[in-house]
């Protein structure tokens, strides 16, 4: 999916736009203005990608448009890397008093050349953004009820490559002894980019034999966006009682949840949390405080603010990108699974180049 490529690029683009570079660089080449326009275009494209993915199955023109978008994503990725590296080098040269003027001039020339590349790639993205109007894509606006994919605790462990260290860290936090001053139940957050493997890590930990033996009750809830307190409470209660609840009011649901978990050592996974609204979390939190000591709430989120809002600052695991080697392993596992030995040998170099462009995101690979 092109969307998997856009996630890391938009993250990187935000970081580059936020870079503090001296006034003369921006004034001469207008790079920040170009990057702002590039980000705006990519966001507008992202808003129709869900519909484009559906339509490309039957519409060759849409499929060609998506392929063109993927190609330009690689170009954007390359030029952003070049610009960030060149800016870092230029800042270092500017800070060195003894740096020769020839070296400084070389940095300036390099920045100018990359600025021209940025302008070219911006024009390509601008053309692609304009072409989207030809296909009548459905716009996924903020007011739409867009259903994000629902996760479950089921995972095929044989398909998971890497992440052994992170998995051990999560399990250790879940089953480890609490300090005397710690509350009976506290929140652990897995924080990282979209597609980096937060849900997979949570699934691996949820199904771990040591974790299963440690907790009396394990519950998995896909929260997603919007954060619906009634829906979440119903999902928790259904897992606790093994049947759908006939209760409809939030207060009644939370009272039943509180009664059902009192004195039990509980593991509650809240997957894919987006809301930063502290009030919404505070509605649920009191009903979960009656668990036995050693209970845990495991949260996955892309946002630092969510982890802070839910009070997991001291129990937070930042999920980093995987190595290029692991990315290649994941890519090869999928791409070459049913290919002959000759095909694998012939396509390995191409596959490696593609995998290296995934920037350490398992989902993109």
């Amino acid at each position: 999916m092109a969307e998997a490529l856009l996630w890391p690029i938009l993250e990187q683009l935000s970081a580059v736009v936020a870079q503090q570079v001296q006034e003369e660089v921006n004034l001469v080449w207008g790079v920040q203005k170009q990057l702002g326009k590039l980000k705006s275009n990519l966001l507008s494209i992202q808003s129709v990608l869900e519909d484009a993915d559906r339509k490309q199955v039957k519409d060759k023109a849409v499929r060609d448009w998506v392929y063109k978008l993927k190609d330009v994503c690689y170009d954007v990725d390359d030029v952003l890397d070049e610009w960030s590296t060149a800016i870092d080098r230029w800042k270092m040269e500017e800070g060195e008093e003894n740096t020769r003027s020839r070296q400084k001039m070389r940095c300036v020339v390099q920045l100018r050349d990359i600025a021209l590349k940025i302008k070219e790639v911006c024009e390509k993205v601008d053309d692609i953004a304009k072409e989207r109007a030809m296909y009548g894509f459905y716009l996924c606006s903020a007011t739409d009820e867009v259903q994000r994919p629902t996760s479950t605790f089921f995972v095929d462990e044989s398909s998971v490559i890497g992440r052994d260290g992170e998995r051990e860290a999560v399990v250790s936090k879940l089953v480890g002894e609490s300090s005397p001053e710690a509350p009976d139940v506290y929140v652990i957050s897995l924080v990282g980019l979209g597609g980096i493997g937060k849900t997979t890590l949570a699934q691996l930990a949820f199904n771990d034999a040591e974790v299963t033996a440690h907790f009396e009750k394990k519950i998995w809830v896909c929260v997603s966006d919007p954060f619906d307190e009634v829906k979440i409470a119903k999902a928790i209660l259904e897992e606790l009682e093994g049947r759908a609840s006939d209760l409809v009011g939030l207060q009644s649901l939370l009272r039943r949840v509180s009664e059902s978990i009192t004195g039990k050592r509980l593991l509650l996974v809240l997957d894919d949390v987006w809301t930063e609204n502290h009030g919404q979390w505070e509605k649920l939190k009191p009903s979960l405080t009656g668990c036995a000591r050693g209970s845990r709430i495991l949260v996955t989120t892309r946002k630092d603010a969510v982890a802070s809002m839910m009070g997991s600052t001291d129990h937070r695991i930042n999920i980093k990108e995987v190595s290029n080697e692991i990315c290649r392993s994941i890519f090869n596992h999928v791409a070459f699974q049913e290919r002959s030995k000759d095909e694998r040998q012939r396509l390995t170099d191409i596959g490696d180049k593609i995998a290296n462009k995934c920037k350490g995101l398992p989902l993109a690979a």
Side-chain angles (χ1 to χ4, degrees), residues 193 202 215 253 262 288 315 342 356:
L193 297 172
F215 293 99
L253 285 163
T262 298
L288 304 171
H315 305 284
D342 289 343
N356 289 342

Side-chain angles (χ1 to χ4, degrees), residues 147-161:
Q147 291 298 315
R148 296 178 55 75
T150 300
S151 68
T152 70
F153 62 80
F154 293 105
V155 62
D156 178 7
E157 295 194 29
S158 65
S159 67
V160 180
I161 300 172

Side-chain angles (χ1 to χ4, degrees), residues 19-52:
Q19 269 183 329
Q20 296 299 313
V21 297
Q22 289 188 16
E23 193 70 19
E24 59 265 28
V25 175
N26 284 326
L27 287 177
V28 173
W29 299 307
V31 172
Q32 295 297 85
K33 184 178 179 180
Q34 290 282 351
L35 291 176
K37 183 180 179 183
L38 176 61
K39 184 177 180 180
S40 177
N41 274 329
L42 288 177
L43 285 171
S44 70
I45 290 170
Q46 186 185 41
S47 68
V48 301
L49 276 183
E50 186 177 338
D51 193 35

Side-chain angles (χ1 to χ4, degrees), residues 132-337:
R132 72 192 175 117
M134 298 165 49
Y135 304 109
F137 292 132
Y138 172 73
L139 180 65
C140 299
S141 66
T143 57
D144 292 331
E145 287 281 334
V146 178
Q147 291 298 315
R148 296 178 55 75
T150 300
S151 68
T152 70
F153 62 80
F154 293 105
V155 62
D156 178 7
E157 295 194 29
S158 65
S159 67
V160 180
I161 300 172
R163 296 298 191 199
D164 293 337
E166 291 96 333
R167 175 179 181 170
E168 290 175 9
V170 177
V171 170
S172 176
K173 278 191 173 291
L174 291 177
V175 303
E177 289 293 327
S178 303
S179 60
E181 63 275 9
D184 291 339
V185 54
Y186 59 75
V187 180
I188 301 166
S189 289
L190 306 183
V191 184
L193 297 172
I196 208 155
K198 303 180 294 297
T199 296
T200 300
L201 271 175
Q203 289 167 330
L204 291 172
F206 191 91
N207 290 284
D208 184 87
E210 188 179 359
V211 170
T212 300
H214 185 77
F215 293 99
E216 292 178 63
K217 206 71 179 173
K218 298 190 303 175
I219 300 170
W220 181 285
V221 179
C222 181
V223 177
S224 204
D225 192 34
F227 189 97
D228 186 332
E229 299 94 323
V230 171
K231 181 180 174 183
I232 295 167
K234 279 192 171 186
I236 294 173
L237 196 55
E238 185 172 339
E239 287 294 308
L240 286 168
E241 299 185 343
R243 59 183 178 82
S245 174
D246 54 359
L247 299 174
V248 292
L250 180 60
Q251 183 171 299
S252 301
L253 285 163
L254 294 181
R255 185 187 298 114
R256 182 80 67 82
V257 168
S258 180
E259 292 168 354
S260 300
I261 64 174
T262 298
K264 292 186 173 69
R265 184 182 288 171
L266 172 75
L267 169 60
L268 170 63
V269 176
L270 299 176
D271 184 44
D272 195 31
V273 179
W274 287 78
T275 186
E276 298 175 30
N277 186 334
H278 189 263
Q280 289 183 303
W281 171 232
E282 283 300 316
K283 289 179 184 177
L284 286 177
K285 186 178 176 182
S287 67
L288 304 171
T289 55
C291 306
R293 188 165 185 78
S295 296
R296 302 286 187 265
I297 299 172
L298 181 62
V299 174
T300 73
T301 181
R302 298 185 192 183
K303 299 181 176 184
D304 295 332
V306 171
S308 300
M309 179 270 290
M310 299 187 79
S312 60
T313 306
D314 296 331
H315 305 284
R316 165 179 167 164
I317 301 175
N318 293 314
I319 311 303
K320 302 297 184 183
E321 296 86 351
V322 298
S323 66
N324 282 343
E325 182 181 359
I326 290 177
C327 248
R328 288 194 292 271
S329 297
I330 295 170
F331 181 86
N332 293 342
H333 176 74
V334 177
F336 299 149
Q337 196 170 24

Side-chain angles (χ1 to χ4, degrees), residues 330-347:
I330 295 170
F331 181 86
N332 293 342
H333 176 74
V334 177
F336 299 149
Q337 196 170 24
E338 298 180 2
R339 294 185 182 273
S340 67
K341 184 178 179 181
D342 289 343
E343 282 183 307
R344 292 183 185 189
Q345 291 176 341
R346 179 167 53 85
L347 297 173

